[in-house]
Each structure stands twice: as structure tokens, then as C-alpha cells.
Amino acid sequence: VHPCQGDFCVSRHFHPQLIVQLMAEGFLPMCSHDEILLPKLHEERCCILLQQNKDNGNGNNNNGSLHTGKSTRKKAKNYALTYNQAWEDVVEGCQEQHGNHCWLYPRLVESFQAIHRAGCQGQPFLATIMDNTSNNNNEPSQFPVRLHSVELWSLPKSKTNNNANKGSNNKNGKKKKDQPSEKEQERQVEEEEEERQLRLVAGEIGYSVGGIYTSLTGFTKESSAGSIQLAALGSALKLQGFCVWDLGMMMDYKQNLGAIGQERSQFVRLVHEHRWRTECELAPPPLSTLTDDERNDADHADFGRNARTLIDEALALAHGSASGGAND
């Protein structure tokens, strides 16, 4: 790995162990169109300090703590969050959404998949770091690095909701003027069938190093789904003891989540401080391992963790309360 322009380094090697080592030092591994590895360490990194609660007294969320908007929280009840259940679908979703601007080229994806697979099989790659403060013999220390897919699913609508408006067209005893065509009827059946299925509507890939989780890239397929996925993921990370959520380059929507900028030296100190917290793990939640057929069964509406529940639990933790967020 060699220094390059600005925030980037450059390498022609894509071995998973090299990428794991780069992640453990705070680099964000990217790739050029001609498949050259471009590890990036931003001059300013966008971070949320997950164990810091919002309480600055002025109504602004500018202290680096996680923030979830009321509208996002309300909509979240119709979605479920899972981890490591649809890696290929998430990667494909990112590539489709970002098109020519997507840096997920084949060689990097292949290495990412090897790191992801090893973690899911319970044998994650280990980063080896010489840490003079952790022992007296200056011996290298090792800790796991895991690469995850995060999925947000739209939950099936209940039969009650599906049937709520049936017959409303005849409310005043009037008949419909026109019967739907055969094609319209087929489309209606398809839409009703789709409403009974779990649908992947947003997701991302990211990696965890000790108490730090880094979001790499993501996608969304419907309005508000991206905001809900981020809010639910941030809540899940907070509940599972993660300390830092690394969001890469600063952008407006990340600031709305509560992120603040960390200068490079500050960010590197955060990495060195929290990468040893091996008790943090983004493990799959209960009920998240289902077959494709089960995912399409409306009876499995408890698939994964409900996004609203995750948000409320994190809010309760932030406020030191045993109950969830505000009532509807």
C-alpha cells in the first residue's frame, strides 16, 4: 500500500487479510474502475457517538449523539431489520442505485464476500496490531473484523388492512361505471400478492471492528425506507454496545442523524481506543433466518427485529427509562 493523492492510498493487492488490516486502522477500502484498491482515510470523518445521549440544552442535536425524527419513528413500525440475510441482493441493490459511481467492482466484492462469509461461519478474519499499551511484551494483539449486510424489509400488510376499503365504491348504492380490464385485474392481483410478501426496500454493507461500525455504501427502493434503515441500524448498534458509528464523508442527511465531523487525528484515536472492544457484535437477531418461501409468507410478520421496536428501545436506553418512546 502506497500513499497517493489527498485522502487516498493505492494498492494493486486485494487479499482479504490486507483489507481487514486497513479496516482495523480506520481506512475505508474503495476501488477504481480499473480495479486498483484505493484505501481512504478522510481528512474529516463523519461519526455518531452512540453511547452519548442527546442533551445539550439548546434543542439542537449537534453533540454527536444519535437522533431519530418523529416521522421516521412513526413509519418504522411497518418494517423489519435483519443482518447478513441477503448479501448478494444488497450488493446488487447498491450497484444498481449508484451505477457508474459505484466502486463495488468485482475484485473488491470478491474480497468483501470472503470476509463476510468467514464472519458468518464463526471464523472471522483477525487483524494483527502491535499495541504497546495492551501488554508489557510488545506482542501483537489480534481482534476480529467482520463485514455485514444490513437489510430493511417492508412487512406484509394485514388482511384487515387489505380488506378495509372493499365495497367502498358502492357506499351510496351506485354501481361502478366501468369494470377493470383483464390486464388491470391481473395487475391488481399482482399488487395484492406483493403486499403479502416481505420486500427488501433498503440496505447497506458495512464492517465492524471492535466497538466501531463503519457504513460503506447502501441503497433504497422506496420513499423513507433509507431513513428508517439508518435509524433502525443506529438504534441496533447502540443497543448492542457499539460506541462509534463511522459514516464516512460528511453529508446533510448524516448530520440530521446527529453526526459530527472528526478530524483525521481524532478519528484515528477513536479507532485505536475502541477497536479492542471485542464484546460488540452485530449478530443476527432471533427469527431472522428464514427460507425464501417463508419470507414470502405473510404469517411471518415477526421476521427480524421490528424497526420501530429497535428505535423505541434505543430511545428508552438514552433516556434511562424502561419503556419505549412517546406514545402515538
Side-chain angles (χ1 to χ4, degrees):
V1 179
H2 304 282
C4 191
Q5 298 179 356
D7 300 339
F8 291 95
C9 292
V10 62
S11 176
R12 291 190 177 276
H13 300 283
F14 284 82
H15 194 283
Q17 188 62 53
L18 172 62
I19 292 175
V20 161
Q21 294 292 143
L22 289 166
M23 291 173 171
E25 293 293 351
F27 285 88
L28 196 157
M30 302 176 71
C31 183
S32 67
H33 66 89
D34 51 354
E35 298 201 328
I36 294 176
L37 185 65
L38 296 173
K40 186 175 184 179
L41 189 57
H42 301 69
E43 185 175 343
E44 182 185 57
R45 202 67 159 248
C46 174
C47 297
I48 294 178
L49 308 180
L50 291 164
Q51 302 309 320
Q52 181 167 287
N53 296 327
K54 178 184 175 184
D55 186 15
N56 53 28
N58 60 10
N60 295 322
N61 189 53
N62 59 1
N63 67 342
S65 61
L66 180 64
H67 171 69
T68 300
K70 292 181 179 179
S71 175
T72 298
R73 174 184 171 271
K74 185 175 182 180
K75 295 175 183 177
K77 64 183 179 181
N78 297 318
Y79 299 86
L81 190 77
T82 60
Y83 322 120
N84 305 322
Q85 296 300 302
W87 167 265
E88 293 181 356
D89 292 335
V90 172
V91 170
E92 183 178 334
C94 295
Q95 292 170 330
E96 288 180 354
Q97 176 160 320
H98 299 292
N100 293 333
H101 298 287
C102 186
W103 42 266
L104 291 174
Y105 292 102
R107 288 188 69 190
L108 184 59
V109 171
E110 183 179 349
S111 295
F112 276 0
Q113 188 164 2
I115 300 169
H116 168 73
R117 187 185 302 114
C120 290
Q121 293 174 346
Q123 297 178 328
F125 280 83
L126 301 177
T128 303
I129 303 295
M130 184 69 72
D131 179 52
N132 295 334
T133 63
S134 65
N135 53 64
N136 296 324
N137 300 320
N138 290 339
E139 295 178 355
S141 299
Q142 293 185 318
F143 49 88
V145 177
R146 298 178 174 88
L147 216 158
H148 309 278
S149 64
V150 178
E151 305 92 16
L152 185 77
W153 306 85
S154 176
L155 293 172
K157 294 183 179 180
S158 67
K159 294 179 180 180
T160 302
N161 290 338
N162 288 338
N163 295 329
N165 297 319
K166 283 188 176 181
S168 59
N169 291 323
N170 295 323
K171 185 175 181 180
N172 298 318
K174 297 180 180 179
K175 294 183 179 180
K176 292 182 180 180
K177 293 181 179 180
D178 299 309
Q179 292 294 329
S181 66
E182 184 175 343
K183 179 176 282 189
E184 289 174 336
Q185 290 178 358
E186 290 177 356
R187 185 171 64 249
Q188 183 177 356
V189 170
E190 290 175 358
E191 290 175 353
E192 290 176 354
E193 181 64 25
E194 185 175 326
E195 288 179 348
R196 285 184 47 81
Q197 297 179 357
L198 285 157
R199 292 181 296 112
L200 181 63
V201 293
E204 70 168 60
I205 59 172
Y207 60 89
S208 57
V209 183
I212 306 168
Y213 175 84
T214 297
S215 291
L216 286 170
T217 185
F219 75 96
T220 181
K221 291 185 176 180
E222 66 180 41
S223 177
S224 299
S227 298
I228 295 168
Q229 182 252 308
L230 289 169
L233 173 59
S235 298
L237 292 171
K238 182 179 181 72
L239 291 168
Q240 295 184 38
F242 283 84
C243 299
V244 180
W245 185 6
D246 167 26
L247 290 161
M249 182 174 64
M250 181 65 75
M251 300 180 73
D252 288 345
Y253 78 88
K254 300 175 185 179
Q255 287 183 298
N256 292 337
L257 279 170
I260 57 174
Q262 299 279 351
E263 293 182 0
R264 182 182 293 158
S265 59
Q266 294 175 315
F267 174 71
V268 170
R269 281 197 294 270
L270 283 174
V271 172
H272 290 178
E273 178 182 355
H274 295 292
R275 64 187 179 185
W276 309 100
R277 299 177 65 91
T278 55
E279 72 276 9
C280 301
E281 184 176 353
L282 196 63
L287 302 175
S288 64
T289 305
L290 300 177
T291 66
D292 290 340
D293 288 340
E294 288 173 326
R295 286 178 183 171
N296 294 332
D297 188 338
D299 292 335
H300 289 280
D302 53 359
F303 175 71
R305 286 298 309 276
N306 184 270
R308 168 71 171 271
T309 300
L310 284 169
I311 292 170
D312 284 352
E313 288 178 0
L315 287 171
L317 179 64
H319 293 101
S321 170
S323 60
N327 293 327
D328 288 333

